[in-house]
Amino acid sequence: MVGPLLAAALAAAHSPSLALAATAVLGLAGTTVVATAPPSRQWAPAPRSPGDTPAQRLHSSGLVLLFVSLAGIGFAIGSLNVWAVAMAEAHGKDMLSGLLPAAFSTGSFLGGLLYGRRTWPGSASRQLLLGAGAFLAGWLPLLALPGPYGATAAVVVPGAFLTIMVASAYVTTDTLTPAGRTSEAYAWLILSIGVGQAAGTALAGRLAGHPLASAALPAAGAAFAVAVLLLARPRLSRCGNGTHRRLRPTRCART
């Protein structure tokens, strides 16, 4: 939440190069803190007994479709960041380039707090699909090309469902992944979102001069995610009623 605002403030008050340098320094500092924290330094893989069989292959059609859908979520996030810059230029308000992503992140923070306070009914895959549908609906008001204040309020809504989708995606990934391959599966999950972000950023940059097309890109990414999840639903629903907290979900058979 603070990062986009800080970057926008530094770029407006000093220069974009200073904002970029501050981003690099803070990113390096954060990485160092995580890498040197006791949980990171003390972690070791679980010992494998001589009778253990090698882990199964990670590939399954359910996982592939899940990761493809998450690329759509990343696409929406990447295009949002460029759309925020375009909004700032169009309205002559430099801070909008940081305020809009910060509002989106604020919604994600609040949605995550609400989601984490209780156990919700239904499987994690069902929660993922419902969250993706709400995520898509939250982007639709941008098609009306709202002004700065309306846009800032509007992006809080899809942000509120981002954490819900990511949490549900992690649980669903866990249930679909063979024992011993969870870390690899999580890496693919993060990579899928990152690839989508890169694609969304690139296309939004090309369409930044077209206000309606630029505003529609986040909804397009979300719609893609919903379509793929609907296609994957029969494969994901076989995993039973996973939950996002307290109880570890039962692993399902790979499909």
Side-chain angles (χ1 to χ4, degrees), residues 72-73 75-76 79 136 139-140 143 203 213 215-227:
I73 302 303
F75 185 95
S79 56
L136 168 59
W139 291 116
L140 296 181
L143 300 180
L203 185 56
L217 284 179
F224 174 82
V226 171

Side-chain angles (χ1 to χ4, degrees), residues 2-233:
V2 175
L5 294 173
L6 178 62
L10 288 175
H14 297 281
S15 67
S17 59
L18 178 61
L20 183 61
T23 300
V25 170
L26 291 173
L28 179 60
T31 302
T32 302
V33 169
V34 172
T36 57
S40 298
R41 291 186 288 104
Q42 297 170 6
W43 180 86
R48 178 177 295 179
S49 62
D52 285 348
T53 58
Q56 295 174 294
R57 293 182 61 186
L58 182 61
H59 177 272
S60 75
S61 58
L63 273 177
V64 170
L65 289 172
L66 174 62
F67 295 156
V68 170
S69 73
L70 292 176
I73 302 303
F75 185 95
I77 299 171
S79 56
L80 163 68
N81 294 330
V82 179
W83 172 74
V85 176
M87 283 283 290
E89 293 179 352
H91 293 277
K93 298 180 182 296
D94 292 340
M95 283 302 296
L96 267 181
S97 62
L99 183 61
L100 289 169
F104 179 77
S105 298
T106 300
S108 180
F109 172 73
L110 296 176
L113 284 181
L114 177 62
Y115 182 67
R117 286 187 62 85
R118 54 167 293 187
T119 299
W120 298 87
S123 66
S125 60
R126 181 173 181 271
Q127 294 171 18
L128 174 60
L129 182 57
L130 291 175
F135 186 71
L136 168 59
W139 291 116
L140 296 181
L142 299 188
L143 300 180
L145 301 180
Y149 298 109
T152 302
V155 297
V156 174
V157 178
F161 293 95
L162 177 65
T163 302
I164 296 172
M165 289 187 297
V166 173
S168 300
Y170 269 102
V171 175
T172 304
T173 297
D174 186 58
T175 61
L176 287 167
T177 303
R181 305 300 291 270
T182 305
S183 295
E184 181 183 356
Y186 289 164
W188 280 106
L189 186 156
I190 297 169
L191 176 65
S192 300
I193 297 175
V195 169
Q197 273 190 276
T201 300
L203 185 56
R206 296 293 298 270
L207 298 177
H210 305 276
L212 182 58
S214 182
L217 284 179
F224 174 82
V226 171
V228 176
L229 286 173
L230 287 172
L231 178 64
R233 188 176 183 182

Side-chain angles (χ1 to χ4, degrees), residues 227-246:
V228 176
L229 286 173
L230 287 172
L231 178 64
R233 188 176 183 182
R235 296 170 176 84
L236 302 180
S237 61
R238 296 175 187 174
C239 298
N241 295 322
T243 180
H244 72 285
R245 59 180 303 188
R246 295 194 182 97

